[in-house]
Amino acid sequence: MKSLAGKEPIPGTTIFEGRMAMKGYALNKMCFSFNKAENREAFKADEDAYCVKYGLSDAQRAAVKKRDVLALLNLGGNIYYLAKLTGMFGLNMQDIGAQQAGISLEKFKAKLLAAGETKNG
Amino acid sequence: MARLIGGVGSSHVPAIGNALEQGLQTDPYWKPFFDGYKPVWNWMEDKKPDVAILVYNDHGLNFFLDTMPTFAIGAAAEYQNADEGWGLKPLDPFQGDPEFSWHLIDSLVHDEFDITMCQEMLVDHGFTVPMSLMWPNQDTRDQVKVIPLCVNVVQYPFPTAQRCLKLGEAIGKAVASFDKDLDVVILGTGGLSHQLDGERAGHTNREFDTEFLEKLKDEPEWLLKYSNYELAKIVGPQGVEMIMWLIMRGALGGNIRELSRNYHIPISNTAAGVILFENDAV
């Protein structure tokens, strides 16, 4: 996109723009279906069959299987949609925050608390 | 004529919904956050606004990524909350004011804003959390009619900060030209700095948020010097939601006073802020 042309990538950050939105369309569409309890049940009954039904790529299916949030983001997943998927695995925003940052949940929480205690967060 | 009596900027983190469900307001983790809302509760109790225009973003409940309106306004008699997939219990429906909604839409479209009109609209935590925060008492909350204004801050490109400020100014005009004797409050929600995705998840920026809050009343244009890309870098991709506070600020116009402010890190992964403005004429 022209408004992003020449901008340096932000370390550890993905801008969810048109290219990523296209790449992740099927994945995010599957996650959107998880707003309904019956779809969550259908996913849990046969995860991979559900992924196939929504047309996920092999790489996306593998990342779902591994519960690998960073990989899912790189494959076009949007974090608000991925939250509906990871919620079924019992992972909340702080759990997946820690997973992506590559630190333990305790360390992740401590880092946020520390940001609250320092003057320059 | 309708009067815009004040505005509130507030975060809308879903974890707040959980805390409210579980009654954790005095828990040590939550107390410094909820205490910041006491002046807002007292003000709402005292002023009893008739209508709330609530600016927020949908997180994949009503809108999917297939059709993503930049600005969408509800024009329904009732707005339902629903299951978002990860466990927050849906709240009771909220009462709308369709006549006011259509006036707002009419006025904004003739002021060159291309608005998506929604006769049905599910509202998610971005809407319900601020409602519960402003009006913790269900009976009081039910007396306020709502107009949801949903902004795309999910799928880039987002509207610019400048566009948000101008939309706010146009909302201010639209409210003032509505021929009903109503007291109106506008809520700008989301932010402040936070990052949910990527290796940098957990990023916050106290210095920038503090400056934003400091300048919001007298110099809201300060934020316009940053593009949404630059804001993502500084306050995190979800921190960009703070541009929605400019819609609230723009609507209030020049003659306002700041009544209260609070800032607290962390609420879940977010730096949470709240600010209350009142129109001088009140």
Side-chain angles (χ1 to χ4, degrees), chain B residues 56-282:
Chain B
Y56 73 108
N57 64 289
D58 180 84
H59 306 73
L61 179 68
N62 189 69
F63 295 108
F64 177 55
L65 304 169
D66 59 337
T67 309
M68 186 54 86
T70 297
F71 298 117
I73 295 184
E78 188 179 89
Y79 301 94
Q80 305 271 349
N81 182 209
D83 188 351
E84 293 184 56
W86 36 256
L88 207 55
K89 204 172 121 207
L91 301 183
D92 290 342
F94 298 84
Q95 300 312 305
D97 185 340
E99 192 192 345
F100 196 1
S101 283
W102 284 113
H103 167 79
L104 194 60
I105 292 164
D106 184 38
S107 179
L108 291 174
V109 170
H110 287 95
D111 223 348
E112 317 294 341
F113 287 89
D114 309 316
I115 301 295
T116 299
M117 313 161 211
C118 304
Q119 290 204 68
E120 279 192 60
M121 195 183 201
L122 292 173
V123 289
D124 76 359
H125 72 267
F127 179 95
T128 63
V129 163
M131 285 303 291
S132 305
L133 270 174
M134 303 300 134
W135 294 279
N137 180 320
Q138 169 105 31
D139 293 339
T140 324
R141 189 191 317 156
D142 288 346
Q143 285 161 26
V144 182
K145 291 187 171 173
V146 298
I147 301 180
L149 194 174
C150 184
V151 180
N152 170 34
V153 285
V154 174
Q155 185 163 261
Y156 187 93
F158 310 151
T160 61
Q162 180 160 38
R163 189 69 176 153
C164 290
L165 192 60
K166 284 184 177 170
L167 174 64
E169 289 164 5
I171 291 171
K173 275 166 62 185
V175 171
S177 67
F178 188 50
D179 195 13
K180 280 272 170 76
D181 183 24
L182 294 172
D183 285 343
V184 181
V185 66
I186 182 161
L187 315 176
T189 76
L192 295 173
S193 62
H194 64 301
Q195 174 152 0
L196 304 175
D197 49 356
E199 292 91 338
R200 204 179 65 159
H203 172 73
T204 55
N205 190 332
R206 174 187 292 273
E207 202 178 350
F208 191 89
D209 289 340
T210 304
E211 195 163 7
F212 171 70
L213 289 169
E214 190 57 41
K215 297 211 188 285
L216 191 58
K217 178 173 160 282
D218 293 323
E219 205 191 323
E221 307 80 19
W222 171 79
L223 195 70
L224 309 188
K225 65 183 175 189
Y226 301 98
S227 69
N228 285 332
Y229 160 83
E230 286 165 331
L231 281 181
K233 195 173 185 173
I234 298 166
V235 289
Q238 288 76 35
V240 184
E241 290 172 353
M242 64 171 58
I243 63 173
M244 293 189 287
W245 291 39
L246 291 186
I247 298 176
M248 175 274 289
R249 178 63 194 91
L252 294 178
N255 303 311
I256 58 167
R257 48 182 169 258
E258 181 183 324
L259 296 184
S260 74
R261 187 197 304 187
N262 190 45
Y263 181 75
H264 176 71
I265 306 176
I267 288 303
S268 186
N269 301 355
T270 301
V274 58
I275 198 161
L276 169 63
F277 295 123
E278 182 180 69
N279 192 316
D280 275 343
V282 171

Side-chain angles (χ1 to χ4, degrees), chain A residues 3 8 35 40 100 116 118-119, chain B residues 60 83 156 196 198 206 229:
Chain A
S3 64
E8 281 182 22
N35 284 335
R40 298 197 290 272
Q100 295 173 91
T118 60
K119 192 99 182 73
Chain B
D83 188 351
Y156 187 93
L196 304 175
R206 174 187 292 273
Y229 160 83

Side-chain angles (χ1 to χ4, degrees), chain A residues 14-89:
Chain A
T14 311
I15 302 289
F16 186 73
E17 44 62 75
R19 195 177 47 90
M20 294 307 282
M22 287 169 70
K23 197 174 177 181
Y25 193 79
L27 170 63
N28 292 317
K29 194 169 180 175
M30 176 179 85
C31 294
F32 183 61
S33 79
F34 298 141
N35 284 335
K36 292 199 160 49
E38 66 262 34
N39 293 334
R40 298 197 290 272
E41 292 314 310
F43 174 83
K44 286 175 197 162
D46 190 342
E47 292 190 10
D48 201 47
Y50 200 88
C51 292
V52 169
K53 188 178 131 193
Y54 273 85
L56 269 61
S57 68
D58 290 347
Q60 287 168 336
R61 281 164 57 201
V64 169
K65 201 171 174 184
K66 282 169 68 183
R67 281 77 166 119
D68 184 342
V69 177
L70 278 180
L72 289 166
L73 280 175
N74 291 332
L75 295 164
N78 175 281
I79 195 68
Y80 296 133
Y81 291 86
L82 295 179
K84 299 171 195 292
L85 172 73
T86 56
M88 288 188 292
F89 307 145

